[in-house]
Amino acid sequence: MAKKGTLTVITEVDIFYLPIVEGLSVLNVLLNSGLIGISSPCGGNGLCGKCIVREIGDKYVPIHPDEQRILTHDQLSQHYRLACKMMLSSSENITVSLINSKNQINVVSTFQDVSPIMNMRKGFPSPSYGYAIDIGTTTIVVYLVRIDTGEILGHLSSLNPQSFYGGDVITRIQYSSEHANGLKILHEVVVHQLNILMNDLVNCYEIASSLVMEIVAVGNPTMIHLLVGKDPSGIAIAPFIPAFSGPLEIPATQIGCTQFPNAKLFLPGGVSAYVGSDITVGICSSKILDYTNPVLYIDIGTNGEIVLFDGEQLSCCSSAAGPAFEGASIRYGMGAVEGAIDRVWLHENGEVAYSTIAGKPAIGICGSAIIDIMALLIELEIVDETGFMDGEQPHSEKYLFSSNDGIAFRITDSISFTHRDVREVQLAKAAIAAGSAVLLKEAHLEVSELGSVMIAGGFGSFINTQKAKRIGLLPQIDCEKIITIGNAAGRGALDVLLIEGESSNVEHIRTSVHYIELSTAPLFQEYYVEQMFFGEPIH
């Protein structure tokens, strides 16, 4: 009988022994086993360089060319590897340790509007409980509510475990289509995580699961498709038609929440393949329809969903910003975990200064710091308006160096921001800015006519708005007109759960909003090219 190899995986808390399957990568074996303490935002395609493990022992798996391209000489000499490119032989025993597998991402779960519920839903027995859930591409937030009184008892949040299979919706759709049982796996991991959070909440408050009567979940269309196990492949290819877009109500047990036999799951509807229920409920909860002056609403993530209310008509679009602001496509980028650099500035002595989340030693750069860095590079004239990182400028010798990734801006001895990172930010900010410009043009509005700009979501809660304006991400209006509203999607899910008639209000918004498909909008490409310049105003 042929010898069967074992993959030994060392984490901060345990050691796992996994059978090796011939021809699979370390990443495949980890994911297939359910051991998902590793990041692979590019979906295991050898592009992002995030799935780093350390190989331990005397025999080493041959190094793949992608590893030589992405990893530094020092990393390779210390046996750091890309899990997605470590191909295994079933006859060999291999040992790896996971890097930073215990880090927990900081999730924004608060929202601006904390006013009491005035028009509560009726007809629930006392006591009755429910959940409002915001399923983001990167994070999940679950709120426990007593429906008959309107009291928000508590909430829990976590990383969306699907992120280990891909950092954005496209890579997850690819995973669901290209891997055996891929759709089933992505469905089960998110339901499993939701069950953990929901069970922890009812156990904490000593509530019987049978008293949970309703669950409201919102998210982008891909997340909702994966939640209910629907094939999302139509979202990724023209003409971008989801399997469903309207509201859906089913028993919670149908998706795998079997501990709640009396609960129904309600999913508010979305607008298109890339504008989902997180936006429709966010529009409703943010009360932008009550404003008398035009309002621009921007939810900045992997896809930038943008909404404009011109005083009469709602219009919206989705701009493919990519994962730059969430760190996935940035060389040393990462989520908002402990040790992530969250602020960067120039000290009065001219040295680069920074802070990290929880004051831990710096291990990477999160989204808010990416904005800071870009603004600083522009101010120092190290990066010009075209995005070129100029090594001939007066400040270049002090701050730039030649790295394995090319010319780079040094932040710490081990963390830098490369010229490729500049391009990633340039593409992302241009997509958001061009989408905003298209909506304004279609409404015959100038930026100066905007009464407010609302920034929703976790990333928007932490950015420096002045610096975001400086790089051209946000419109050039007074900073006091820029409002961060936190987790508007979570607030919206709560409102649907608690407020009489709110689900009808959301449905009215969904069916009345004017959706603009940017991929076929002639103005988008023109504005996209124009907005590639740093510091240029959105028209």
Side-chain angles (χ1 to χ4, degrees), residues 279-289 492 495 502 505-506 509:
I279 303 304
T280 56
V281 302
I283 293 170
C284 211
S285 70
S286 62
K287 306 292 190 296
I288 66 176
L289 295 179
D495 288 350
E502 191 73 355
N505 294 335
V506 172
I509 285 172

Side-chain angles (χ1 to χ4, degrees), residues 423-478:
R423 293 301 183 195
E424 291 291 335
V425 174
Q426 190 172 22
L427 294 170
K429 79 96 182 177
I432 299 290
S436 300
V438 168
L439 290 185
L440 289 167
K441 182 68 173 181
E442 290 280 340
H444 306 289
L445 288 174
E446 300 292 333
V447 167
S448 59
E449 296 178 84
L450 287 173
S452 302
V453 174
M454 292 185 176
I455 310 298
F459 172 71
S461 298
F462 294 109
I463 63 173
N464 181 305
T465 55
Q466 184 63 48
K467 294 179 180 179
K469 284 171 52 183
R470 181 66 184 86
I471 72 171
L473 173 63
L474 297 181
Q476 304 298 309
I477 66 172
D478 292 340

Side-chain angles (χ1 to χ4, degrees), residues 266 284 496 500-511:
F266 179 67
C284 211
V496 170
E500 187 68 38
E502 191 73 355
S503 60
S504 297
N505 294 335
V506 172
E507 180 63 6
H508 174 72
I509 285 172
R510 184 186 80 84
T511 56

Side-chain angles (χ1 to χ4, degrees), residues 8-20:
T8 302
V9 183
I10 301 172
T11 74
E12 292 93 336
V13 295
D14 211 341
I15 299 176
F16 300 88
Y17 302 94
L18 308 176
I20 288 176

Side-chain angles (χ1 to χ4, degrees), residues 33-51:
S33 71
L35 187 61
I36 53 176
I38 189 168
S39 176
S40 56
C42 73
N45 292 311
L47 300 174
C48 66
K50 305 296 184 185
C51 61

